Every structure is written in C-alpha cells, then in structure tokens.
Amino acid sequence: MAKTAKKGLFSSMTAVRLLLLLVFIVAIVVMDAITGWKMFSFSERGLNNGIYILRQCVFPVCVAWGMTFIFGSGLVDLSIGAQVALGANVGAILAVQAGWGYVGLIIAPLVVIVACELAVVLCSEVFKIPGWIAGLGCGLIFEAILAIWSASASKSLGSSVINLPKELKVLGTWPWNVIIMLVMFVIVYILQNRTTIGVELKAIGGDPAVASAVGINRRKALIVAIVIGALCVAVGSICYISYGGKVEGSTGLASLTTIFKALAIVMLAQSLNSFVSEPVGVLFAGIFIMALVDFMTKLKIEAGTLQEVVLGAIVVICGVLSRIGYKGVAK
Amino acid sequence: MKTKKTFPWLTVVPFMILAAIIIIMGFVAGWGTMYAGNNIEALFNQAFNWMVAGLGMVFVTTIGSTDITHGALLCLAGGLGCYAGQAWGVWAMVPVALLVGIASGALLGILNTKFKANTFMMSLALMLAYKGLNGSLFLNKRAVCPEGIKFIDNVWFKIIFLIILFLVVLFVYNYTPFGTYLKGIGENETAMKHVGFNVSKVKFAAFVISGLLCALASVFNSARLGGFDNKAGVSFEMNVMMVMFIGGIPVSGGMKSQLYKIIIGAFTIIILQNGLKVANIEAGYVQLIMGIVLLLSVGFTLFLSRRLSRLNEKAAVNQKNA
Amino acid sequence: MADIVLKIEHLCKYFGATKANDDLNIEIPRGAVLGLAGENGSGKSTLASMICGIQKPTSGKMYLNGQEYAPKSPVDANAHKVSMVLQELGVVGSMDPVLNMFLGRTKQFAKGGLLNLNAIKKEAEAQFEKWNLTKVPMTGVAGNMSIEQRKVLELARALSIDPKFLILDEISQALSHDNRKVLYDFIKKFTSPENGGTILMVTHDLEEMVEICTHISVLRDGKIIDTRRSEEYEMDELKRLMIGREVSGDYYRADQEEIYSDEVVLRVEHLNVPGELVDINFELHKGEILGVCGLSDGGIHSVGPALFGISEHRTGTVEYVPGKVQLKKPLDMIKTKGAYLSKDRDKDGLMLDASIGQNISVPNVRLLAGAAKFLSPKKVNDLSQKASVDFEIKSSGLGQVVKSLSGGNKQKVNLSRWLVQDLDYVILDCPTRGVDIGVKAYIYGVLKKMKESGIGIILISDELPEAMGMSDRLLVMKDHEMAGMLSRTTDFVEEKIVEVML
C-alpha cells in the first residue's frame, strides 16, 4: 500500500513540476508577444535581449539564495541591502584606491558582508533582540557607515562613491556573471539537499526544540547558515558592482528597495517549495521576475513606479498562497 | 505571604533615559540653542507627527504584529489628500486622506486575519508598493496643500488636539474590554480564541486604527510642509517604531504595553535627533547613533523584563516550599 | 547479587532553593522495568532528565554498568547506550520521517560530504522491522502524521542507537489502545534476557504502571519514599505513599445514583465534524455531570471545540434550551452563560507571561464593562481578588506571573476565571490533567458543588476512573461515534464500559 502511494505521489509530483515549467514558458512567451517580440530581440551590437535579462538576474538571484539560508535560519534580516552597498564600496575602495585590483574587489565584499551578517546575528543571539529589529537597527548602522564615508569622500574625491574602471568590470560581463550564477546554483543545491548541514538547517528551521534535543548544535549550524548566506549575498554584490560600476549609498533604510526584487523571488520560490526544491525555485522565480520587470520596462512602466506595485502584489499573493491551510496563529 | 516588591525598573528607566538625554543634549548642543522657545516649538512639531502615528501603530504592536507601511503611507495619504483638496475643495482633503489610511489598514488587516499571512512581510511589500505608487503619482510634481487647511499648523491647536486624541486613545486602550482583548492577543492569541470574543474583528480594528492615525498625521504634515512629493515620509516608520520601543513598549506587545511610553519615547528621540543636528553633527553620524540607540533600548527592555520574570520565578519557587 | 545496570547514589538537583531531587538512591537491576510514581513536582522528570543528559546533577553520582556516568548532553548519553522518548513531541514537522529518525546522526551516511538518502531510508525501515513497531508512512512530512505515529517514530529513533537503557516519559498518553499493546509487547521483548535491556518509565497512569513495571519507585517532594517490586504494592497504598495522606473513597463521588434535574440545558443534534465527529446526539440536564470518555483518538477531544464553535465545517445543531438559542460561534456560548475549557491550558487557556490578575480578568471584562463600554480597573481587580480567594490560589499576589506557578495552581487560575461567573453550563476537557492529587481532589469538590447548584457539566476525560467516579451519565465514544450512553445507577462497572469503548 505504501509502495503504490509513493509511486503515485512521485508521478503526480513530476506532473506538477512539468505543469509549472509549462506555465513558466507560456507566461514568458505571452509577455514577449505583448511587447512585440522585443524581449528576445537582438540589439545593434548583436546581443540578445534575453541575455540582458539573464544578466539582470544574477544579482537578485544570488541575494535570494543568500536569503533562503539567512531567513531559513529564522533571521529575517532586512539589512542585506545596506550590506550590499557597504561591501561593494569597500571592494571598490580596495580595488581602485588601494590598487589591489580584483583581489580587493572580490575579497572585501566577502569579508565585509559576512562580518555584517555576523554582527546582526550577534545582536539577535547575544542580546536576544528579535531578528527583524536587529536587522532594521543594523541596517541603519551599515547605511550610516557608508554615508559617513561618502560624505568625507565627496569632499576629498569629488564624488561620493567609487567608480570601477572598465578593466575591473569583467565579472559583470557576459558570459562571466551568468556562469558565476550557475556555479552558485550547483553549490547551493548540493548544500541544501545533500549535506548534513542542509538537514540540520531544515531541522532547526522546522522545530528548534527538537533539533537541540537530538544534539544539533543550533548556534554552530546557525552561524554556518548565516555565513553561507552572506557569501551568496557577497557574490551577488560583486556581480552587482561589476555590472553597474558603482553602488550608491542610502539613508533611512531606503536600501530596502535594493533587495526588493530578491525578496519577491524568495517569496515566489517559497510558495512553490512543496513542489520544487528551494534552490531550483529561486533560479526559475528569478528568471521569471526579471523577465517580468523587463516586460514592464518595455511597456514604459519605469522602475520606481508601478513596477514596485506589481512586485509588491506578487509578494503579497505569494505570502497569501504560502499560508493556505496554515492552522497556526498569524502575526 | 507577600514577597518584597521589586523596584519597578521597567517603568522608571525610560524616564531616566529621557532625563539623561535632555541634560546631555543641553551640554552638547548648548542650553540656549536647544531649549530656546522656537527650537522647542520645532521639536514639538516634529514629535507631534510621530506621536499621532505612534498612538495608532501601538495598536498593531500590542497584538504582536508589525506595521512598517507608515512612511510610504504618510506620503500616499497626504499626497492624495492634497490632490483631493485641490480638485474638490479643502473639505475633501481630510476625508480622502483618512480613507486612504483606513483602506491601507483594512488591506493589511484582511491579509492577516483572513489569509493568515505574515504581517511583517506583507506590510513590507505594501510599503514598497506604496513607494512605487508615490513615485508614479508625485514624480517631479508636488501635491500642493490647499490653503484652507493650513490653520491646523498651529502649536496650540496641535497641543489641544494631541491631548484630546491621547485621552480618547487612552480610554479605548486601558478602559474598555477592547483594550484588554488587544493585549491578550499579544500575549497568547490561541487562548484568546478560546475566550469567545471575535479575535479577527479586534485584530482588524487594530490595523485600521494604525492606518487611520497615520493618515491623520499626514494631514498635519501636509499643512506644515505645504504639500507632498515622493520623497516625503522617508524613514518615518523607523522613527515611529523607535518612539515605541525606546519608550519601552515590548516588541511582542501584550500586557506590558502602555501608552504614556509613546510620549516619553517621542520626546527622547526628538531631543536626541534635534540636539545632534543643532550641534552640527553630520547626518550619517546621527543615523548611526539612532541605529545603536534602537538596538540598545530594545535589548535593554528585553533584558530587564527577562530578569524580572526570573526573579518572579525564584520568588514563586520559594513560595512553594513555604 | 543482581546485575545492577544503573546505580544512583546520593543524587541531588537543586534549582536555587528548590530541592527538585534530594538525596536519591536507587539500584536498577538489568532487565527491570522501573516505574517512577509521583505527583507533579515530585521530581520524576528531573531524575529522568539527569539520566538522559539533559540536566546535570548538583551533587551525587551515577554509575552505569559499574562505571561512573555523567552525561554532558543527550548525545553523550546516547553514546553510552542510554536513550529516551520525552514527553514533549520530538519530531520536526516540516521534514520527512526518515530524516527525522536519524536527525543529528546523518554523518554516518555521508560519503565525501554527500548524504546517501537511500541508505538512510533502508536503515529506518530495518529498525521498525526489528522491534515489530507499527509502521508509519516514510514519505511526505512528519507534520502530516498523527501524534501517535510521531511518538512511534520517536521510539524507533530512540531504538536506532541500539540502547541498553531506555527512558520512556509519558509515552502511553499519546498512544491508542492498539498501540499500547504493541508498546507493552515491545517492552517485554526489550527487557527480555536475550536483549538485556532495562527501562525506566514515567507515567501518570497508576494502573498501567502496576501492570507493566517490575519495580516501582515512589517519589514525593524530591525524595524517594519507597522502592519495591510492583507486586508488593496495593493501589490505595501506592496513592497514599504518593501524597502522604489518606485517599478515601470520597475522592470522587460518594453516591452511586444518577441525580439531575429534568430541565434540559443543552441539546445537541446530529453534531458532525468531518474527520472528527460523526452524528453526536445528547442532552445535558441542569445539575448533571455528563462524562465523555473513550480512547484518546476516538474523538472525545473534538467534542469541546465542536460545541464551542471553533471546529471547521461543523454541521448539526447545538441548542441552549432555556433561551432557545442556537449556538454557532464561541460568542453564542459565552452569551448563554456557558464556558469551555480546553485540554491544553498552557496553549489554549493561559497567558503564561501575564499576571494572575490579568489572566483572570480577560473572560470577565465583557461582563464588567458598564455603559459606554467603560471598564473600571477597580472592578476588574476586585473580581480577580475574589476569584483568587474563592479558588484558593496559592501565590505571592495577583501580580505574580502565571508561568511561575505549579501545574495545580495554574489550573486553578484557568478554572477560576470562568467558574467565578454565574454559569448555566460548563464543558471541561481533562480539567485534572497534569495536576497533583491534592488539587485534583479540590477540583472534584468544586465540580460536586457546581452540580449541586444546578450547573450542567460536560466532563471530557481520558481517565476512566475519573469519568466513572464523577459522572451521572457517561457518553462513551469510539471511532468518532457514540458507542453508548451509560447510567451511573446501573451500568458503571469498569468491564462494561471498556467493552463498549472497544
């Protein structure tokens, strides 16, 4: 009886996954049609717009993977946006001002973002501040650090952020940044589904009391999860600055807008996580959402306006969908 | 047998911090500049908006949820109110603004009570969506505030209004069953479901009140600033949250939430912020200090209440053997 | 000289000034099934938690197989072949059962860092086979399994480390009758000479303890009062040792007659909740104690929520007869002077971090508010004070946080906040659960007084002696249906009730 049930489950799962894939493809085709087939057209320089969309995915998808690790450990940390700005700029400083080149550009964000994230964990673990407040408070602090530096840089350098020269922007070009994304995908997939740390994180996320009773060292696993997550975010921020050349700071937690797309991707992936494993879900959700953004831009719906409304609607709908059948208390 | 009363740290500390800030800022920014008449008026005007919005947001905090939409909502409600005032006459401004606030609160309320979604995420999404709306509605244009409403931007009017508002909210919060239910939901919502009243209705009302009072603050804000553009309301929600938590309201709400803490929190923050500004401290440093103060105050409030409950347990355990 | 597997010498555990365990000395022979008997707060759980490594003793020593034994954690205890199934559910709902079984020990299945998921599954199935345990689904998430299945899974997990000493803390509470039999068979097999295992059992069910355990230790106030072979105990003597005073026959009700008014206060017709209740019909009279009993998963705990109005897709009618009011939602019951207390007081009843006064006030503010909804704090305080005094709540004052109260006092707070009202009917689900014998007797006294004053009581209980002892009529449920309605005067013989239950 169990065997046939299992088989039935297996085939219905594959059926659902195929259906989702179909919906994914059809939606993109429909969007393309509405824009007059501009989404996959070739520009004058011979580059396909589809590649442009893929390149746009790299940053939010990497951040989204980072979020699945960080949020998955229970820490809803909104300071990620501020960390990206800070880390990327420190990388730029070391690369350009200190002359360290790629070494600086890569190592600095990795170190800075992991340090920032650990600082947030410190607040929430040691000072027992609820994760979301720790994230907000630290976000203000990280933004402030960059703002302070920017203000003094304005006076001495003339501009408030560092611009990367063309030679240092290779990682932001095609095909490198997409390759980075695909490599990250393989790493994240293996980590989440096929390693002990992945099992431990799922346990802690599911039921912390049980996890500690079976001897899972919550602190250790949490820190590992946070570090992995921070590294994902850091890789994303390296690609981000390599692509755009510079990253502006912000105040008043306006840095939340930087990670809004990643947030939408995570929510979409989470609402599908009973059918599709999270790393895979994030990748496809990422492509879908960036295609959607491109679609809207082609229709003259600019960023900073109704695009955010659409993204917000997606997050709200996914948030509602992921709670269907939820019997607990909603806060 | 009565155990000795422990010193009411949780109540006293916010006052002590306020006193300390007043004194420190006096030295840092200069007593004459800080506490001159016109600066006090400026302080009050800033704090006023926070207190009005805070008196609303506290309802959501009390039930254990978070409403982070206030900054963008302030802009949206105020801006739309201004538009309405220009288009249909000054009488339309307040109703339209309030309606926007109520609608936002209702939306959040439905998402929480009917769809059981996580309010924090939802209010975050709504905030970012409203920012988008603000961007498209007010981009490079400014919603100008109709002249007729500007009379409310008067210090005495505001003081009297605030007192009346505070008394009304205080009545609802502390002297009605509704208030008790709110706090109970913050303590243990499942237990409240077993008490018999309609928990969803109470929660819904809390969200609507939060949106409503934010809209009210936006009306006063418009009158003061003369209008809205899409940059208005930035970091407003962070300030209102700081007002609540620095004043000592528990992050998870519940029975220990008290309204006077909002007043204390508002004055603490405004004096701190304003003092730093008057002392010519750079904006970056000001935000750095605010972030640190937020973390410290939340951590400290939690530390105190945990220590208190541990002392309570010790006392009780001794009771058992008595 | 018997082969002693675990020796406990002058073991003490103090929590501040409280002596949870005070100078315990036991020698547990190999192959024994030792039951720990004692009221709540007597120290049973503390002792069990020290043996399995969750707590460290303040002083004293333990010897396992002659060697000094001081586990630093449950994992360390496992390394010494000591494992446990604890009272709180120990399964991660969002993960699949297979991973749950080997949670924390997946490294042994890892090759080069990657887990061999198939090998884990095979090993899991092998464990169930070895001990002949009722199989549970291996796919999907553990959260979709019933509480019983999850307990069996935990047992399998505890067994998968091949333990020689097993601690079972209140395990049978979660199991249905069939599964209890599987458990008892397992216990026999585990402690047989071929296997050589030893079991320490903590259970509130005294009858079960006498039947299954080879030895029983009675704990009271942190000390071991007596340890004997279980055949040497008489039930009354056991109870007496546990509470240190006479438990007379008047513990429940002295009379054997069903007595109640003819007036019907609640009429339930065709009450149906998909998956939980099938066509329930009965009438509750004024002054009647209507017991509801049955096997744990037979639906008895669904009756309360259904009547209260918080079950999903409920059909049928519940009518408050004196006012001819149909009860559809919780507010209806409250407004017709009824009350419902759920089985789980910590989750569904009390605000643990709030004070006694605040807890008592919540269900009463509706009644205390005057015109224009004004609620006078003085009136609220006076009521809380009255309730606290009337129900003899032992505390340091109304401001004391409920979390720090004993189980018995917590239940008094839980009950008093409703019973202080002028009620016509009450529905109580396991009101004496997790409560020591002293408070139990007190609660029975309260119920008797309520009956005399004409209040209709529905007493849902999973303790058959309690249901038999207190009820006028007994509604027996089986497989979510009514199996019988028995009368105190004629039918209350344990065998007959059990027969109807099965």
Side-chain angles (χ1 to χ4, degrees):
Chain A
M1 174 74 183
K3 271 218 170 96
T4 34
K6 184 183 133 197
K7 212 170 176 201
L9 193 68
F10 179 66
S11 63
S12 74
M13 185 69 87
T14 335
V16 173
R17 287 184 184 151
L18 282 174
L19 185 65
L20 284 171
L21 190 59
L22 199 65
V23 168
F24 172 72
I25 295 176
V26 166
I28 294 187
V29 169
V30 166
M31 286 194 286
D32 196 17
I34 298 181
T35 60
W37 308 108
K38 287 208 214 121
M39 278 169 57
F40 294 99
S41 61
F42 285 89
S43 74
E44 307 89 49
R45 277 180 296 159
L47 274 178
N48 191 307
N49 192 52
I51 293 186
Y52 169 74
I53 296 178
L54 261 185
R55 290 170 69 196
Q56 296 289 78
C57 287
V58 177
F59 171 63
V61 165
C62 285
V63 173
W65 279 322
M67 281 179 174
T68 56
F69 280 102
I70 297 174
F71 291 8
S73 68
L75 186 69
V76 184
D77 178 13
L78 294 181
S79 68
I80 294 180
Q83 293 177 26
V84 166
L86 189 59
N89 273 294
V90 173
I93 294 172
L94 283 184
V96 176
Q97 271 194 330
W100 286 19
Y102 277 106
V103 173
L105 183 65
I106 293 176
I107 295 197
L110 292 175
V111 170
V112 169
I113 293 181
V114 170
C116 284
E117 202 55 62
L118 287 176
V120 179
V121 170
L122 187 78
C123 290
S124 95
E125 286 293 302
V126 175
F127 302 124
K128 303 278 197 286
I129 298 171
W132 63 276
I133 292 221
L136 289 177
C138 288
L140 287 173
I141 294 176
F142 301 146
E143 276 187 351
I145 295 176
L146 184 60
I148 293 170
W149 181 83
S150 292
S152 68
S154 279
K155 296 185 201 123
S156 59
L157 288 178
S159 90
S160 59
V161 283
I162 305 250
N163 264 302
L164 281 185
K166 192 147 175 244
E167 313 83 69
L168 284 174
K169 285 166 70 173
V170 165
L171 290 176
T173 60
W174 160 265
W176 297 113
N177 62 354
V178 174
I179 290 180
I180 292 177
M181 179 169 79
L182 293 173
V183 168
M184 288 298 295
F185 171 63
V186 172
I187 295 177
V188 169
Y189 184 85
I190 293 181
L191 278 174
Q192 281 218 335
N193 292 328
R194 285 266 188 277
T195 58
T196 301
I197 185 71
V199 172
E200 289 185 358
L201 289 175
K202 268 192 220 157
I204 296 175
D207 194 330
V210 174
S212 74
V214 295
I216 294 179
N217 187 333
R218 183 181 158 268
R219 279 253 165 104
K220 193 178 111 205
L222 213 71
I223 301 211
V224 172
I226 301 278
V227 169
I228 296 177
L231 289 173
C232 292
V233 174
V235 169
S237 71
I238 295 172
C239 296
Y240 191 47
I241 193 170
S242 299
Y243 185 81
K246 63 175 171 139
V247 179
E248 298 274 357
S250 53
T251 54
L253 277 189
S255 60
L256 285 171
T257 45
T258 318
I259 53 169
F260 191 26
K261 294 193 181 76
L263 196 65
I265 294 172
V266 171
M267 296 295 287
L268 187 53
Q270 264 182 2
S271 61
L272 298 172
N273 75 355
S274 32
F275 308 113
V276 181
S277 111
E278 247 174 2
V280 175
V282 164
L283 184 61
F284 278 91
I287 298 175
F288 177 75
I289 286 188
M290 294 323 288
L292 185 64
V293 167
D294 187 63
F295 168 68
M296 288 192 281
T297 318
K298 296 257 182 307
L299 291 181
K300 299 285 183 229
I301 300 174
E302 294 297 327
T305 60
L306 293 177
Q307 268 189 25
E308 260 71 21
V309 178
V310 171
L311 287 177
I314 291 180
V315 174
V316 168
I317 294 174
C318 291
V320 166
L321 286 178
S322 65
R323 287 285 174 107
I324 291 184
Y326 180 65
K327 295 258 189 289
V329 156
K331 284 281 173 213
Chain B
M1 174 181 151
K2 278 203 139 78
T3 48
K4 57 179 188 292
K5 281 223 146 96
T6 45
F7 186 69
W9 282 108
L10 269 177
T11 337
V12 167
V13 166
F15 283 100
M16 283 169 37
I17 295 182
L18 177 59
I21 297 278
I22 293 180
I23 298 177
I24 296 177
M25 285 301 124
F27 282 112
V28 167
W31 290 96
T33 346
M34 228 6 244
Y35 301 118
N38 56 345
N39 199 39
I40 294 200
E41 200 179 310
L43 289 181
F44 175 71
N45 275 313
Q46 260 280 51
F48 175 79
N49 289 335
W50 296 344
M51 287 190 276
V52 172
L55 283 172
M57 206 200 262
V58 75
F59 281 79
V60 170
T61 307
T62 309
I63 60 172
S65 298
T66 321
D67 180 356
I68 205 175
T69 61
H70 276 214
L73 181 62
L74 186 82
C75 182
L76 189 66
L80 285 177
C82 287
Y83 274 167
Q86 295 291 359
W88 299 324
V90 80
W91 60 268
M93 178 173 181
V94 172
V96 168
L98 293 185
L99 211 64
V100 173
I102 292 176
S104 167
L107 179 58
L108 207 53
I110 293 180
L111 286 173
N112 177 299
T113 57
K114 190 148 184 335
F115 295 111
K116 308 231 182 285
N118 176 301
T119 315
F120 184 57
M121 276 296 159
M122 294 299 104
S123 68
L124 183 61
L126 284 181
M127 185 220 356
L128 292 164
Y130 294 162
K131 272 202 180 159
L133 265 180
N134 290 338
S136 58
L137 286 172
F138 309 127
L139 190 61
N140 300 325
K141 291 177 276 175
R142 204 162 172 243
V144 175
C145 176
E147 286 300 320
I149 198 92
K150 290 200 180 157
F151 72 92
I152 63 173
D153 185 31
N154 169 294
V155 177
W156 289 109
F157 182 85
K158 283 186 180 176
I159 291 181
I160 297 178
F161 183 85
L162 187 63
I163 292 178
I164 297 179
L165 181 67
F166 185 79
L167 289 176
V168 169
V169 173
L170 188 69
F171 173 72
V172 172
Y173 198 75
N174 278 349
Y175 297 97
T176 60
F178 177 70
T180 312
Y181 294 155
L182 279 177
K183 295 177 194 160
I185 293 175
E187 289 284 341
N188 184 343
E189 190 171 325
T190 320
M192 292 303 107
K193 290 206 174 107
H194 286 81
V195 170
F197 65 89
N198 190 332
V199 172
S200 291
K201 268 203 202 146
V202 171
K203 288 173 77 172
F204 184 79
F207 285 108
V208 169
I209 293 174
S210 173
L212 176 70
L213 286 181
C214 176
L216 204 57
S218 82
V219 170
F220 281 94
N221 201 19
S222 309
R224 181 157 180 75
L225 296 179
F228 270 92
D229 59 23
N230 64 327
K231 297 239 188 350
V234 166
S235 79
F236 182 70
E237 66 275 329
M238 288 311 305
N239 284 323
V240 177
M241 274 199 251
M242 281 196 271
V243 162
M244 285 194 303
F245 299 137
I246 292 178
I249 295 184
V251 170
S252 54
M255 291 281 171
K256 296 198 193 61
S257 319
Q258 293 291 346
L259 289 187
Y260 72 84
K261 293 181 180 176
I262 296 178
I263 310 294
I264 303 199
F267 281 111
T268 309
I269 301 217
I270 193 60
I271 293 179
L272 180 60
Q273 268 192 13
N274 186 279
L276 292 172
K277 216 165 51 162
V278 166
N280 269 320
I281 311 264
E282 230 172 77
Y285 284 106
V286 175
Q287 179 164 316
L288 183 65
I289 294 177
M290 296 315 297
I292 295 177
V293 167
L294 175 65
L295 292 177
L296 281 179
S297 62
V298 172
F300 193 55
T301 316
L302 282 170
F303 168 72
L304 275 184
S305 59
R306 264 203 321 276
R307 202 156 158 270
L308 263 174
S309 76
R310 235 178 292 154
L311 284 176
N312 245 314
E313 274 184 56
K314 257 201 192 158
V317 153
N318 289 330
Q319 268 291 307
K320 266 194 263 192
N321 297 334
Chain C
M1 174 74 173
D3 178 16
I4 304 292
V5 64
L6 182 66
K7 178 173 174 179
I8 295 179
E9 214 172 64
H10 301 300
L11 199 67
C12 297
K13 178 69 178 168
Y14 298 161
F15 291 105
T18 313
K19 299 186 182 166
N21 285 153
D22 193 5
D23 192 29
L24 302 182
N25 297 282
I26 315 179
E27 288 184 342
I28 308 180
R30 195 175 307 277
V33 181
L34 174 67
L36 290 184
E39 301 183 297
N40 279 0
S42 57
K44 321 190 284 282
S45 291
T46 313
L47 176 58
S49 67
M50 285 198 283
I51 299 176
C52 64
I54 294 177
Q55 306 259 24
K56 293 197 200 18
T58 313
S59 67
K61 284 197 163 47
M62 294 189 281
Y63 296 92
L64 187 65
N65 296 312
Q67 307 271 1
E68 219 178 297
Y69 172 63
K72 298 192 219 44
S73 67
V75 177
D76 192 13
N78 282 346
H80 287 88
K81 300 291 186 200
V82 173
S83 84
M84 73 283 323
V85 179
L86 296 174
Q87 207 174 357
E88 305 84 39
L89 274 186
V91 154
V92 179
S94 54
M95 287 174 61
D96 70 64
V98 173
L99 283 177
N100 261 299
M101 262 193 73
F102 292 96
L103 208 54
R105 290 174 293 130
T106 46
K107 283 211 174 68
Q108 54 184 296
F109 297 100
K111 261 200 321 222
L114 296 183
L115 296 175
N116 184 344
L117 295 175
N118 262 324
I120 302 183
K121 182 142 183 295
K122 279 207 172 54
E123 184 58 37
E125 283 168 352
Q127 282 297 326
F128 273 82
E129 279 294 325
K130 181 172 172 197
W131 295 105
N132 208 12
L133 297 174
T134 323
K135 293 219 169 41
V136 302
M138 286 294 177
T139 51
V141 289
N144 289 337
M145 304 198 309
S146 70
I147 294 196
E148 235 192 304
Q149 288 172 319
R150 283 184 245 179
K151 271 289 162 195
V152 175
L153 184 65
E154 283 180 61
L155 183 57
R157 178 169 74 202
L159 294 170
S160 64
I161 61 151
D162 197 26
K164 287 302 175 203
F165 192 90
L166 182 63
I167 300 171
L168 301 174
D169 192 349
E170 301 281 7
I171 187 175
S172 38
Q173 238 186 4
L175 301 179
S176 67
H177 197 267
D178 288 336
N179 271 315
R180 277 193 212 194
K181 184 149 188 322
V182 173
L183 178 70
Y184 301 156
D185 286 340
F186 154 76
I187 291 178
K188 278 208 189 66
K189 189 169 173 193
F190 186 79
T191 53
S192 67
E194 298 87 59
N195 190 54
T198 313
I199 290 187
L200 177 70
M201 253 184 99
V202 178
T203 173
H204 263 114
D205 190 340
L206 292 181
E207 277 85 5
E208 174 182 79
M209 200 185 303
V210 168
E211 194 189 312
I212 302 301
C213 301
T214 57
H215 299 70
I216 299 181
S217 272
V218 181
L219 280 97
R220 187 174 81 221
D221 295 324
K223 292 188 169 52
I224 293 186
I225 304 299
D226 200 9
T227 303
R228 280 187 228 167
R229 298 193 68 85
S230 50
E231 306 87 66
E232 299 165 28
Y233 275 117
E234 288 255 29
M235 190 57 72
D236 273 344
E237 189 194 2
L238 192 56
K239 287 191 187 154
R240 192 172 26 90
L241 284 172
M242 277 169 64
I243 59 174
R245 61 187 130 98
E246 277 294 325
V247 187
S248 61
D250 264 3
Y251 185 47
Y252 299 119
R253 278 167 60 179
D255 66 299
Q256 298 305 320
E257 291 276 314
E258 72 183 80
I259 309 172
Y260 47 83
S261 151
D262 278 333
E263 253 188 276
V264 175
V265 64
L266 268 189
R267 179 172 296 132
V268 177
E269 279 173 343
H270 304 300
L271 188 65
N272 209 306
V273 176
E276 289 175 25
L277 296 175
V278 177
D279 198 33
I280 308 293
N281 303 275
F282 63 84
E283 288 178 344
L284 175 69
H285 303 88
K286 288 196 170 173
E288 172 183 14
I289 299 184
L290 176 64
V292 178
C293 73
L295 302 174
S296 242
D297 59 356
I300 56 172
H301 300 301
S302 308
V303 173
L307 294 174
F308 192 51
I310 54 178
S311 300
E312 286 182 13
H313 313 303
R314 182 196 92 174
T315 54
T317 59
V318 179
E319 188 190 351
Y320 172 69
V321 175
K324 295 215 195 359
V325 178
Q326 293 290 332
L327 304 184
K328 298 204 188 104
K329 47 193 203 305
L331 196 57
D332 295 335
M333 180 174 289
I334 308 299
K335 282 206 175 137
T336 53
K337 303 211 272 178
Y340 162 58
L341 274 104
S342 147
K343 178 171 86 137
D344 192 340
R345 63 171 167 268
D346 281 352
K347 189 167 73 79
D348 299 334
L350 297 170
M351 303 182 291
L352 292 176
D353 291 317
S355 72
I356 296 176
Q358 286 162 344
N359 269 284
I360 295 181
S361 68
V362 176
N364 294 299
V365 287
R366 182 185 66 98
L367 300 166
L368 292 173
K373 296 277 204 289
F374 176 67
L375 187 66
S376 152
K378 181 172 184 312
K379 275 199 203 160
V380 171
N381 198 40
D382 287 344
L383 183 78
S384 301
Q385 190 73 339
K386 178 176 185 301
S388 170
V389 165
D390 284 353
F391 287 85
E392 299 174 30
I393 299 175
K394 291 196 181 41
S395 71
S396 61
L398 283 185
Q400 183 174 345
V401 166
V402 160
K403 186 160 57 173
S404 57
L405 293 175
S406 67
N409 270 315
K410 271 194 207 163
Q411 189 64 332
K412 282 186 179 176
V413 173
N414 192 20
L415 288 170
S416 69
R417 57 195 185 114
W418 288 106
L419 302 183
V420 76
Q421 292 176 11
D422 172 28
L423 298 169
D424 272 357
Y425 60 100
V426 224
I427 303 163
L428 301 172
D429 196 336
C430 298
T432 62
R433 190 180 76 109
V435 153
D436 54 80
I437 289 203
V439 178
K440 264 193 181 182
Y442 177 80
I443 294 178
Y444 295 141
V446 169
L447 291 179
K448 282 183 258 187
K449 265 195 261 164
M450 284 168 62
K451 173 185 158 64
E452 270 161 45
S453 68
I455 301 177
I457 302 172
I458 297 180
L459 178 63
I460 304 168
S461 174
D462 50 19
E463 270 180 53
L464 191 50
E466 175 180 84
M468 271 177 63
M470 295 302 292
S471 320
D472 289 296
R473 290 186 301 155
L474 187 55
L475 168 61
V476 182
M477 289 191 59
K478 178 182 163 194
D479 292 330
H480 312 287
E481 288 179 309
M482 289 175 58
M485 179 73 89
L486 303 174
S487 145
R488 184 181 192 80
T489 328
T490 52
D491 305 317
F492 274 24
V493 181
E494 185 155 351
E495 297 80 46
K496 175 148 192 198
I497 298 182
V498 172
E499 193 190 308
V500 181
M501 259 200 325
L502 300 174

